[in-house]
Amino acid sequence: MADFESVDFLRERHVRFFQRCLYVLPERYAPYETSRLTIAFFSLSGLDVLGALDVVDRHSLIEWIYSLQILPTADQSNLQRCGFRGSSHIGVPYSSSKGPGAPHPYDSGHVTMTYTGLACLLILGDDLGRVDRAACVSGLRALQLEDGSFYAVPEGSENDMRFVYCAACICFMLDDWSGMDRQKTIDYIRRSTSFDFGIGQGAGLESHGGSTFCAVASLCMMGKLREVFSERELGRLRRWCVLRQQNGFQGRPNKPVDTCYSFWVGATLQLLDVFQYTNFEKNRNYILSTQDRLVGGFAKWPDSHPDPLHTYFGICGLSLMGEAGLQPVHAALNISLRASDSLRRLHECWRRSRT
Ligand SMILES: [Zn+2]
């Protein structure tokens, strides 16, 4: 127990780590320019969970995110390409007004950028008032395949459980499931359940902590988890997840533990109501062993370089265990409970105005 108490969580260093991710990324991040919005999401949601959002300029970030929205053009011919892009790399004119959008042959939304863009706006306290919700839903609907999975972009890409999760987050945040054929998605998730009762990226693929989270969280957001899986199946799924704990959590059997799975598997166990039966002390000690004590942030392994993704999921993994000074997180939507509460109030408002 003495060890458990003595490892300290260096909150201020992590706040500065995320500030650097938002404003001064080193050159080695240049290849990630097209998905810059995801780095902004890790940083902003991380600062939110750290209770430190006051260090960012909310107004300019909100304007930047809106400038990444692909709005319908005057003739509405690009409706199936709407959503959010990851950065300004394609060079379309900067606009954060409500439209119409500028036509560009290669411009389209990306399902992960639409998800993280909407989440960032919520985290920053925006009311999504300038989001063209109908256009986002049209763009999303165009990404679903016959088998129920989703592409990331309209011209086609990999299609798997990651993008199913992004699609579910978009529907949940917009309070509109017309962009997804839920029955097809549910069938895809069922077909992706493996012989060992974990869930893979698709049918016949190896069970994986990341895809298991994506599937379970998507079903929770649909309110269908207990309809889709029987109590016996849920018990087997719990067992597969619980067995991923070594000290921290691994993503697959016989793989090394990795900080991010403290969230992927930890959050899944929380959604399955059994996270409290895992060993918090070992989990916490592992996460903190990957903390960079000099520059802040968390890495996947001890003595490795910290990065925005593992820093965010390390902090969320600690938050799931009730680490002092951290905001609680919504395990399915993967944002702070504070941000998900403001989403709930927004939905009540939208529903009132619809009736
Ligand atoms: Zn990882």
Side-chain angles (χ1 to χ4, degrees):
M1 199 63 196
D3 266 2
F4 188 40
E5 298 292 345
S6 68
V7 191
D8 46 334
F9 174 71
L10 303 170
R11 180 183 175 279
E12 290 312 312
R13 300 229 162 146
H14 303 311
V15 171
R16 286 201 290 280
F17 180 88
F18 283 134
Q19 281 179 281
R20 288 195 302 276
C21 290
L22 279 173
Y23 296 112
V24 281
L25 274 183
E27 193 184 351
R28 69 169 180 275
Y29 282 89
Y32 300 104
E33 175 63 16
T34 52
S35 44
R36 191 172 193 136
L37 201 42
T38 61
I39 299 175
F41 168 75
F42 295 139
S43 309
L44 290 172
S45 200
L47 287 169
D48 189 13
V49 178
L50 288 164
L53 269 181
D54 55 312
V55 301
V56 303
D57 175 357
R58 291 183 191 223
H59 175 75
S60 64
L61 281 161
I62 288 172
E63 294 307 304
W64 175 68
I65 294 164
Y66 273 118
S67 80
L68 303 176
Q69 183 176 202
I70 291 140
L71 291 161
T73 49
D75 64 359
Q76 305 255 315
S77 61
N78 69 336
L79 269 183
Q80 301 202 327
R81 307 176 67 80
C82 287
F84 284 73
R85 58 180 93 85
S87 74
S88 53
H89 62 277
I90 205 160
V92 285
Y94 185 98
S95 163
S96 60
S97 71
K98 205 158 177 178
H104 186 294
Y106 301 115
D107 198 17
S108 70
H110 182 296
V111 73
T112 310
M113 307 309 146
T114 307
Y115 146 53
T116 48
L118 293 171
C120 285
L121 288 171
L122 281 174
I123 291 163
L124 290 165
D126 183 75
D127 67 356
L128 308 186
R130 282 185 278 162
V131 173
D132 190 326
R133 289 166 11 217
C136 281
V137 168
S138 298
L140 182 63
R141 198 180 300 124
L143 296 174
Q144 190 166 24
L145 282 82
E146 229 5 76
D147 71 358
S149 66
F150 281 80
Y151 282 140
V153 288
E155 47 274 15
S157 66
E158 293 170 307
N159 58 294
D160 55 43
M161 205 62 80
R162 293 170 301 170
F163 304 138
V164 165
Y165 173 71
C166 296
C169 288
I170 294 167
C171 295
F172 185 78
M173 285 189 279
L174 296 180
D175 195 26
D176 182 346
W177 289 85
S178 64
M180 173 190 283
D181 182 326
R182 274 179 280 185
Q183 192 51 52
K184 281 187 183 163
T185 303
I186 287 168
D187 293 343
Y188 182 80
I189 292 172
R190 281 219 62 106
R191 281 198 308 277
S192 305
T193 306
S194 184
F195 68 92
D196 60 3
F197 312 111
I199 302 170
Q201 290 288 359
L205 299 177
E206 185 183 6
S207 298
H208 186 284
S211 42
T212 298
F213 166 79
C214 288
V216 170
S218 298
L219 291 174
C220 286
M221 285 187 278
M222 290 181 213
K224 301 277 188 196
L225 180 69
R226 283 175 170 76
E227 231 175 86
V228 170
F229 289 119
S230 66
E231 205 34 58
R232 186 185 171 130
E233 287 170 321
L234 288 174
R236 290 164 161 175
L237 187 54
R238 288 184 183 107
R239 180 176 183 275
W240 186 87
C241 292
V242 162
L243 289 173
R244 301 287 67 76
Q245 180 163 31
Q246 312 297 303
N247 42 18
F249 285 83
Q250 60 186 181
R252 288 176 276 170
N254 303 314
K255 294 283 281 183
V257 296
D258 169 340
T259 299
C260 67
Y261 294 104
S262 288
F263 177 79
W264 301 125
V265 182
T268 308
L269 285 164
Q270 178 151 318
L271 294 170
L272 296 171
D273 304 319
V274 290
F275 182 59
Q276 67 271 29
Y277 303 121
T278 60
N279 188 319
F280 283 13
E281 180 179 351
K282 285 188 174 169
N283 187 15
R284 181 179 189 270
N285 281 343
Y286 178 73
I287 297 174
L288 288 177
S289 75
T290 68
Q291 175 176 244
D292 191 308
R293 304 185 64 81
L294 193 63
V295 300
F298 290 83
K300 64 198 292 189
W301 297 321
D303 302 319
S304 311
H305 281 296
D307 64 75
L309 182 148
H310 287 92
T311 304
Y312 177 59
F313 288 115
I315 288 170
C316 289
L318 290 168
S319 166
L320 290 175
M321 292 184 281
E323 180 79 21
L326 293 181
Q327 295 292 313
V329 292
H330 185 293
L333 186 55
N334 181 27
I335 58 176
S336 70
L337 276 189
R338 185 200 61 77
S340 72
D341 279 347
S342 61
L343 177 65
R344 194 173 37 75
R345 286 192 296 275
L346 214 53
H347 286 176
E348 283 163 12
C349 211
W350 293 348
R351 283 171 197 176
R352 268 200 304 278
S353 67
R354 274 201 292 259
T355 50

